[in-house]
Amino acid sequence: MERMRLLLVDDDQKFLSITKKSLAKQGHIVQTASKGSEVFEKLQAQNIHVVVLDVKMPGMSGGEILKEIKKSSPLTQVIILAGHGRVGNAAESLKFGAIDYLIKPVSITKLLQKAQEAFEKRKCLEQKIRDIQIRVLECQFN
Amino acid sequence: MILVPLIPFILVLGTGYYYFKTSIESTTIASMKRIVEDHRHMIESFLNERENDLKFILHSYTFDNLSQSETLDTVFDHLQEESQAFVDLGVFNQDGLHVAYRGPYSLKGKVYKDTDWFKEVMKHGYYISDIFLGYRQVPHFIIALAKEKEGEKWVVRTTIDTVKFNNIVKGVRIGKTGEAYILNVNGLLQTEPRSGGKLMEKHTDSVKYPSSNTGIETFIDQGLKGEAYLYTTTWLQNKKWLLVVRQEKSDAFSALTSTVYLVLLITVIGGAIIAVVAFYLTNHIVGRMEKMDVEKEQLNQQLIGASRLAELGEMSAGFAHEINNPLQIMKNEQSLMEMILSDLKESGQIKESESLTEFEDSMNQIQLQISRCAKITQAILKFGRQDEPRPQNIDLRNFIPEVIGMVAKKAIVHGISIEQNLDENTCPIHGDPTQLQQVFLNLFNNAMYAILERHGTSGGKLVVNTEPGENKTVGIVIKDNGSGISPENLNKIFSPFFTTKSVGKGTGLGLSVCYGIVDSMHGTLEVSSEVGVGTTFSIHLPAVE
């Protein structure tokens, strides 16, 4: 079975290291990034399934990073992890393609559950694309 | 301040008094002048008539004829029939010899050649004497006429009754002290004044003689006793006698005196009324101003309180956000510790023991406390109003039942009956439905908590009323029969972090959030409560037209 590849984005190094440790313990491949440029490097280097993204970031904001991710690799699923909840912000994030919106502090279990869901969706989407590609190829042969 | 309204009042009275005084004086003087004029005419007519009587005799009879005592008697009787003022009648030849006499004295044969009156009458043909004593030693005055015939002059003379003449002159009556009398050129009384004075003597009060020979003069002079008199004087036709009419000034101007008293009375009473009213009004205004000052001060305090609350809100929201990040880390660390612990247990490196149970309890406690912190930060963020409200018109007649629906199940479980009295005519209000819902839920939950505290799970009652309020507002009253709030807590309940609930059960932010939301909707949130009876929250929100 394919292991989930996660990218954690937050400006708090401690958060990144502890979360990475916890998730890695569960058998997932976890990458971390503490600023926007790093995110895109990691995304290009590896096939990242799910990104957990903090809203408040120095330099490029979470919202902007979200838009860029969705532009460059639309299949990558993004979970927003906000310092505090705002209905407007949440609605906007979902509109720009985030799969979920969580508010800190969130338990590892819950984060993992949401990430799992996102990963399933990603897999589902990939499967669909493959199916369509096969169908298109069949049409071309026939 | 009090004196200001008195100034125009006194000015009006003063001006009125001045014009009234002038008018009264001129009217009184004019009427005095008219009386003097009339009186002079009357006296002159009397003297003229007597003179004409003599003229008639002089022309009707000859000297010889009238010298006969029978004729003189008849003529005198006729004269007396016409006027009782005639005392006697005499005939004189040009040598001054009293040829014939009819009267009460025996004057026949006396010679008057050297008397003043005889000389005057022989010279001018006509003479009216002053009052004098003469041979008879009784005050009298005479009228004498002379006639010349064929070079011979003869004279007719009559004596006028001074009492009769006196009465005619004295007859004038003006007011209480008005009187009339005649003075000769030497200031001797020719008639008796009513106020006293003897004939032929100088009057005790000296009189200024008019400067001109004609006309009527008016002046005010002091009498001997010090009282002021209003004098009116005029010369009679013969220019020897001065008719004096005088009246005490206070009597003449009595209307003025009473006016002065009236004006003084009005001034005093009016002044007193003005002073009292001014005093009362000033007090009233000062009182109002003081009250307004106090209200202003209270308002200022409220404003300061409100702005502090707002600042606190902003600050708290900032803190809450910053606290959430470390909380996340703590939560993750705690999860990791749990994972490691379970790994160690599985691998048999740690055995079940009492210490392990305690350790696990501590771990759970950490998790619990983190959740508690998270709840607090969430409440603070709500209090800080980070979300932009989306106001819209809300029909409370539908909205309130919806919110009550959310707590209905909880109410049933706790045996609380909810009563709704929503006025059919309740106007809609304008606000953010989520925020308003938060307010109602908060108040309902608080009410239920208080009810449970007092009644347990039966006998609770929560009443929600709507009613039209003053100044186009809608009133929403939420009343419970719970345990109530003590007076010392009542004015703290809207302060952030104030709670009476036990530690961990409440953040103390609910009511301050409600207060902030209602305030942002330009409404008011008030509370009244009695321990052991219940609590009533009243919300007043502006109605939408």
Side-chain angles (χ1 to χ4, degrees), chain B residues 34-47:
Chain B
R34 205 179 56 247
I35 287 164
V36 167
E37 183 89 31
D38 291 350
H39 210 52
R40 187 180 73 186
H41 274 299
M42 200 176 73
I43 294 164
E44 280 174 347
S45 304
F46 174 81
L47 293 172

Side-chain angles (χ1 to χ4, degrees), chain B residues 16 60 215 251 313 331 368 392 449:
Chain B
S60 305
D251 185 26
K331 204 158 186 163
L368 200 72
Q392 61 194 67
Y449 184 87

Side-chain angles (χ1 to χ4, degrees), chain B residues 244-312:
Chain B
V244 178
V245 176
R246 70 171 197 178
Q247 191 180 7
E248 270 184 26
K249 196 183 160 198
S250 57
D251 185 26
F253 298 131
S254 63
L256 200 59
T257 317
S258 44
T259 307
V260 171
Y261 287 132
L262 193 66
V263 166
L264 278 176
L265 191 72
I266 290 171
T267 311
V268 170
I269 293 175
I273 290 171
I274 286 175
V276 167
V277 170
F279 187 71
Y280 172 75
L281 277 182
T282 313
N283 261 0
H284 186 68
I285 289 167
V286 167
R288 286 275 302 262
M289 282 167 78
E290 278 171 359
K291 204 175 144 196
M292 274 165 75
D293 277 349
V294 171
E295 278 170 7
K296 201 177 136 197
E297 187 53 35
Q298 283 174 349
L299 210 65
N300 263 340
Q301 292 298 334
Q302 276 178 15
L303 268 177
I304 291 167
S307 68
R308 273 191 193 149
L309 215 62
E311 274 172 28
L312 198 63

Side-chain angles (χ1 to χ4, degrees), chain A residues 12 14-15 18-19 21-22 25-26 56 81 83-88 103-108, chain B residues 321-322 324-329 331-333 335-336 339-340 343 370 374 378 381 386-387 390:
Chain A
D12 193 325
K14 188 70 201 162
F15 169 78
I18 187 71
T19 314
K21 212 187 256 179
S22 301
K25 255 188 155 339
Q26 309 276 335
K56 219 173 133 195
L81 184 56
H84 65 274
R86 275 201 279 183
V87 178
I103 298 164
K104 284 181 188 173
V106 67
S107 67
I108 287 291
Chain B
H321 184 207
E322 292 309 318
N324 272 353
N325 283 321
L327 275 183
Q328 176 68 66
I329 296 167
K331 204 158 186 163
N332 287 4
E333 295 279 10
S335 298
L336 187 62
M339 270 185 238
I340 294 167
D343 283 355
I370 290 171
Q378 268 160 25
L381 285 168
Q386 293 276 310
D387 282 330
R390 284 159 201 225

Side-chain angles (χ1 to χ4, degrees), chain B residues 64-355:
Chain B
D64 297 334
N65 214 342
L66 203 62
S67 301
Q68 289 170 15
S69 62
E70 300 83 34
T71 319
L72 194 66
D73 288 351
T74 320
V75 170
F76 181 71
D77 289 344
H78 285 149
L79 276 181
Q80 272 218 318
E81 270 172 36
E82 200 178 321
S83 171
Q84 293 290 321
F86 290 104
V87 176
D88 63 7
L89 186 65
V91 181
F92 301 79
N93 69 9
Q94 65 178 358
D95 298 325
L97 178 68
H98 212 157
V99 181
Y101 174 77
R102 171 72 164 86
Y105 306 101
S106 54
L107 301 171
K108 194 178 169 182
K110 288 193 186 292
V111 178
Y112 290 83
K113 191 174 176 133
D114 295 327
T115 56
D116 289 342
W117 72 265
F118 193 75
K119 283 179 195 162
E120 283 285 315
V121 79
M122 287 303 278
K123 198 172 161 189
H124 298 111
Y126 168 75
Y127 180 73
I128 294 180
S129 73
D130 285 346
I131 307 252
F132 67 109
L133 293 171
Y135 289 117
R136 61 189 86 171
Q137 293 301 309
V138 169
H140 66 287
F141 78 93
I142 56 156
I143 301 173
L145 284 175
K147 191 184 179 189
E148 188 172 4
K149 199 179 179 188
E150 296 155 5
E152 286 279 315
K153 266 194 176 171
W154 62 288
V155 172
V156 177
R157 186 193 79 164
T158 186
T159 306
I160 300 296
D161 184 350
T162 51
V163 177
K164 282 256 156 51
F165 184 66
N166 221 359
N167 288 344
I168 289 169
V169 176
K170 269 165 82 174
V172 173
R173 279 197 160 267
I174 320 159
K176 283 182 201 158
T177 59
E179 59 180 352
Y181 53 90
I182 292 174
L183 295 174
N184 72 359
V185 284
N186 300 318
L188 299 179
L189 284 167
Q190 300 302 298
T191 61
E192 286 173 350
R194 274 205 290 148
S195 62
K198 289 205 168 146
L199 282 178
M200 297 176 64
E201 282 178 6
K202 281 234 177 206
H203 192 262
T204 48
D205 298 337
S206 62
V207 169
K208 281 188 230 159
Y209 280 79
S211 49
S212 64
N213 284 339
T214 52
I216 299 163
E217 294 226 341
T218 310
F219 55 90
I220 289 169
D221 206 354
Q222 293 278 331
L224 201 65
K225 291 170 194 161
E227 65 277 39
Y229 281 97
L230 175 65
Y231 282 91
T232 314
T233 59
T234 185
W235 287 107
L236 293 183
Q237 249 174 10
N238 60 19
K239 307 287 186 254
K240 281 167 41 181
W241 286 354
L242 185 74
L243 174 62
V244 178
V245 176
R246 70 171 197 178
Q247 191 180 7
E248 270 184 26
K249 196 183 160 198
S250 57
D251 185 26
F253 298 131
S254 63
L256 200 59
T257 317
S258 44
T259 307
V260 171
Y261 287 132
L262 193 66
V263 166
L264 278 176
L265 191 72
I266 290 171
T267 311
V268 170
I269 293 175
I273 290 171
I274 286 175
V276 167
V277 170
F279 187 71
Y280 172 75
L281 277 182
T282 313
N283 261 0
H284 186 68
I285 289 167
V286 167
R288 286 275 302 262
M289 282 167 78
E290 278 171 359
K291 204 175 144 196
M292 274 165 75
D293 277 349
V294 171
E295 278 170 7
K296 201 177 136 197
E297 187 53 35
Q298 283 174 349
L299 210 65
N300 263 340
Q301 292 298 334
Q302 276 178 15
L303 268 177
I304 291 167
S307 68
R308 273 191 193 149
L309 215 62
E311 274 172 28
L312 198 63
E314 298 294 324
M315 250 165 64
S316 316
F319 289 149
H321 184 207
E322 292 309 318
I323 288 166
N324 272 353
N325 283 321
L327 275 183
Q328 176 68 66
I329 296 167
M330 283 156 75
K331 204 158 186 163
N332 287 4
E333 295 279 10
Q334 191 267 340
S335 298
L336 187 62
M337 282 162 81
E338 268 184 359
M339 270 185 238
I340 294 167
L341 190 67
S342 64
D343 283 355
L344 289 173
K345 277 201 280 186
E346 272 173 29
S347 62
Q349 282 174 282
I350 290 179
K351 299 240 160 52
E352 289 288 344
S353 68
E354 207 173 306
S355 304

